[in-house]
Amino acid sequence: MQYSFWEKDFLEKPADITILGSGIVGLSTAISIKKRAPHCNILVLERGTHPFGASTRNAGFACFGSVSELLEDIRVMGEEACMEVVSMRYQGLKTLRQRLGDATIDYRSCGGMEVFRMKDKESSEQCQGATPFCNQLIKSALGLDNCYNVVKNTSLPSFGAQAIFQNFEGTLHPLKMMHALQKLAVSSGVRIEYGIQVDEIDQANRSLLCANQLQIGYNKLIVCTNGFSRRLLPELEVVPARNQVLITQPLPQNPLVSGYHLDKGFVYFREVAGRILIGGGRNLDPEGEMTDQFGETEQIRNYLLKILDEIYPGASTKIELSWSGILGVGPSKFPIVEWVDDHIIAGVRMGGMGVAIGSHLGEMLADQVTR
Ligand SMILES: Cc1cc2nc3c(=O)[nH]c(=O)nc-3n(C[C@H](O)[C@H](O)[C@H](O)COP(=O)(O)OP(=O)(O)OC[C@H]3O[C@@H](n4cnc5c(N)ncnc54)[C@H](O)[C@@H]3O)c2cc1C
């Protein structure tokens, strides 16, 4: 396709701030900047006809970490960094809910349950034993009392008899969330251009080289492309990770009452309008799933189907839909907010919890560019 003179004339002019990517981070950043600098001219560029990465394709858990995740993150990142990330997730969720309203995004304050396989008795006991310690950490970081409670698992007989219930989690509808963010951004005066694929950042000429010979200038550029970022900025320590998801038809007597976590958060499942949604399992094939290509594999699908039958016998024959999304991970769960040069800042690597941390990252990026 050849752009017209009018299109090129309008699209190629640099805005005050250009944001690349219209996922939760890109749009939250635009909204946060507008709050600080209402007259700032902001342009969001998105390759898809709507956000096309993770923000509309995720599982809709509004969570900040199960006990096994916390213990693993402390092991990898240390206690201080781990709790800083947990705080960011918590603050992000607060901002998101205040900004959009619970009813708009179908937020349900249902709590979250960490369950364990029968064979993972050791891990289950370790997590149960660590619950008071984790509660103390959460109390000092977030001021919340009795976050995690060891409870009897009465609804899922194929899993271990003890589970850990998290009081402060919820679930939401990701597309309703993204629609509301988009509406808020546009009504604040943010311009969003869809269908613009940026192929290269020409740092020397401050220009974005796009398909069909479009070259969009920029003054300040904020890169919010998460799992796709290394194609544009290979120096960033973020790699893509695909996550596959399945959802069943509505099932009678669905036993799920909240969001559920298994295997240090690698597998997650929840109830959605009488259905069961299950996703994850990338730990089964870490190399193969380190990709920014959407797609599904037999290996992971079969793995998720097997767990699904453990949750609800026969549910594997009732699949209504399956899909995948791409998230951004790295050696640490700490998100990257980093100036690449004097004009470009990146806000990437949500570590698989961007629904939670995304709005907070938007605030951090807005602080950086409006200083
Ligand atoms: C299956 C799945 C389940 C998940 N479940 C949860 C959950 O329950 N709770 C939770 O907190 N998190 C969850 N996550 C993670 C969460 O969805 C992400 O962390 C979050 O959406 C990342 O937001 P983002 O804005 O950084 O990136 P994205 O939403 O990926 O947005 C990046 C945008 O950049 C655009 N883009 C990329 N490259 C270019 C280019 N070259 N030119 C133009 N545009 C470009 C993409 O099209 C995309 O719209 C899940 C993720 C997946 C994949």
Side-chain angles (χ1 to χ4, degrees), residues 20-26 45-48 50-63 196-199 224-228 232 241-245 268 323-328 347-348 350-357:
L20 191 48
S22 77
I24 184 172
V25 176
L45 296 174
E46 168 59 51
R47 64 180 177 175
H50 63 282
F52 196 50
S55 297
T56 58
R57 309 175 72 76
N58 62 64
F61 282 65
C63 57
I196 308 262
Q197 159 88 38
V198 174
D199 292 329
C224 302
T225 48
N226 205 28
F228 308 93
L232 298 167
R242 183 169 59 194
N243 254 235
Q244 304 181 34
V245 184
Y268 41 86
W323 68 90
S324 69
I326 310 295
L327 44 87
V348 298
M350 300 310 115
M353 279 200 215
V355 170
I357 211 168

